[in-house]
Amino acid sequence: MKHNNDTITSTLIEDRRFAPPKAFAARAHLRDPAAAKALRESAAADPEAYWRQAAREELRWSKPFTQGLDWSNAPHAKWFADGELNVSDNCLDRHCEGGRVHKAALIWEGEPLDGNEPEVRTLTYGQLRAQVQKAAQVLQRLGVQVGDRVAIYMPLIPEAAIAMLACARIGAVHSVIFGGFSAESLRDRIQDAGAKLVITADGGWRRGQALRLKDVVDEALGHGTHGVQNVLVVQRTREDIAMQPGRDHWWHEHMEAAKAVGKPVAVPAEHPLFILYTSGTTGKPKGILHTTGGYLTHVTRTFKQVFDIRDDDLYWCTADVGWITGHSYVVYGPLAAGATVFLYEGAPAFPDKNRFWDIIERHRISIFYTAPTALRTFMSWGEAPILKHDLTSLRLLGTVGEPINPAAWVWYHEVIGGGRCPIVDTWWQTETGGILIAPLPGVQECVPGTATLPLPGVLPEIVGPDGEAQPANAGGLLVLKHPWPGMARTIWGDDERFKETYFSRVPGIYFTGDGARRDADGNFWIMGRVDDVLNVSGHRIGTMEVESALVSHPLVAEAAVVGRPDAVTGQALVAFVTLTAGTAQNPELAEALRHHVAHEIGALARPAEVRFAAALPKTRSGKIMRRLLRELAGQGTVSGDTSTLEDFGVLEALRASED
Ligand code: WTA
């Protein structure tokens, strides 16, 4: 029912346009529409020149580059390849030297409340640099060298950012693994990246509970080392944990022994900065590789443009550092831009539904960037907790991770933004490194439901199945014809898969995996993934991964996982499962299988629903007909062509299993 309402509202408000609010536009960096248009046009005419200039304007280079884009080895882009720089130098040292040494870089709030008082830590740029210098030394003393991989499995505490920046400072490559992933997922990623050191914490606080992260690391490493020589453990929850002599070290002890000295190591622009795992259509998660100069240029420039950042802003992006949004728009973009970043460790409903609004009011947050799924959750809680708080410090709002339904957009604008704040709906991906499509908030109308126009220097297109350009409003595949500096360079250890996944659907052109249409004004409307990747609460989940987890259970014979629309999470996972002969179907087993998936992958992949079937619908060639399952999961009925079904009875059986 909810969905119907939403659809009705969407059609009514689809055409609403929101001009930049006057007070916002009056102060915006970019407030002249003609200048913005000219910028877009000149950047489109020569994207390489645009990005060269951005790289010069936004970053400090230890050795200036002379080369711009090198696409001679397509699809492997090189940007600014003969230049040298260091990411932590750009995020810290140059601000310390340039007048921001005493400006807050990070303001962090922990989840627990002691009485009514939360723990708050502020690190100025000077203090953050000192911590990063020490941490860099600790890593070096533990044998980490340029190019070595370091896995980071942390709660959202300042040490997570310190660890990332310390790796960058010495040219080590980090791979941050979201703290919600299971031991199995962690082990896979540690092994695939070839990490030699793991940085973790005893635990972190979430919904009033201590998440015991170190236990998960111990389970992941098991008795073998998997190439990991050392584990650094930050003390956060102070719960008892096991420390393995020789392998495990307390972060605070090593930090105390280190000195806040040491220069950043300049590396070539194409030196790897990080590997971040994300789900794909097939097989295991892929390690997306991002490098140094192009990536930092892209995230710094787009951060400033899209968030119209000023020195007096307090910017809060609610993403965890375990995701790309946390890399690009919690740590690297904002710090390279010299902004003040707010971080919150815990859950929005702890101790009650006031927490986020209380945070905004107490800290005077001015920019708030979150996911549509969070907004829909807040909507479902009602307006009372929000209206109790003074949110007038907010001047700009953003969303990321999934399409935002217009009803949620308008609610965000009115209820949270008080009608004063533009909303930047930002479309991008782990693979794109940074934002590609989003409004420039001071000069552009926002339209609920669309991320609007590409940023300057970005050239997306909508194409048909054979790569032919589509006319306005015709749906098609979203592709990028021209390379951009933040684009992924490869899949770690699997270059063939990189080419195959992104550059073969339309030969030689980057395919995003998303379907979209462009309207007559040029706005891009993202319609969602066209592959077997699902988006649950803004998190990408590969159906294959969940299926593999299910069939690893001894009682499961076959499994197929599809998405169905969900009013809060966007999509929800529905698993169709056949059991081994003689196994009885019952709700306890369904629950056990949901739990099994959470244990194998992490709670974020737990299916909303497990349905048992006698058999799965297959084509004559044995392929599972996911379309039918999707329809069944979503609408409860199946329409369209079923003539290739091998066994019509199966379909009936599935329908019946709904009751
Ligand atoms: C989806 C997150 C519509 C899209 C930064 C994309 C969006 C996938 C939006 C990437 C948006 C992200 N509107 N859809 N504003 N932002 N998506 O890698 O399907 O976790 O391909 O990166 O999320 O998810 P990822």
Side-chain angles (χ1 to χ4, degrees), residues 278 323-325 369 372 399-404 424-432 437 449-451 512-515 525-529 533 535 538-540:
T278 189
W323 309 113
I324 191 67
T325 308
Y369 186 33
T399 73
V400 58
E402 48 178 325
I404 178 164
V424 289
D425 174 353
T426 62
W427 177 87
W428 58 296
Q429 310 179 293
T430 305
E431 295 87 341
T432 69
I437 305 179
T450 165
T512 60
D514 281 352
W525 297 77
I526 309 297
M527 298 181 320
R529 306 284 308 188
V533 173
N535 191 324
H539 297 147
R540 272 166 71 166

Side-chain angles (χ1 to χ4, degrees), residues 199-261:
I199 308 178
T200 186
D202 47 3
W205 295 103
R206 185 98 194 158
R207 293 189 198 91
Q209 306 272 316
L211 290 182
R212 296 181 54 87
L213 296 177
K214 173 63 166 54
D215 290 357
V216 183
V217 173
D218 290 340
E219 193 187 333
L221 297 181
H223 298 297
T225 65
H226 300 280
V228 172
Q229 294 162 4
N230 294 291
V231 178
L232 265 171
V233 187
V234 178
Q235 204 167 36
R236 166 69 188 133
T237 58
R238 295 174 186 271
E239 306 225 309
D240 267 350
I241 54 163
M243 292 291 277
Q244 187 174 306
R247 187 194 73 180
D248 299 350
H249 313 266
W250 285 111
W251 166 277
H252 60 272
E253 288 176 3
H254 281 254
M255 288 290 276
E256 267 162 37
K259 286 208 173 64
V261 292

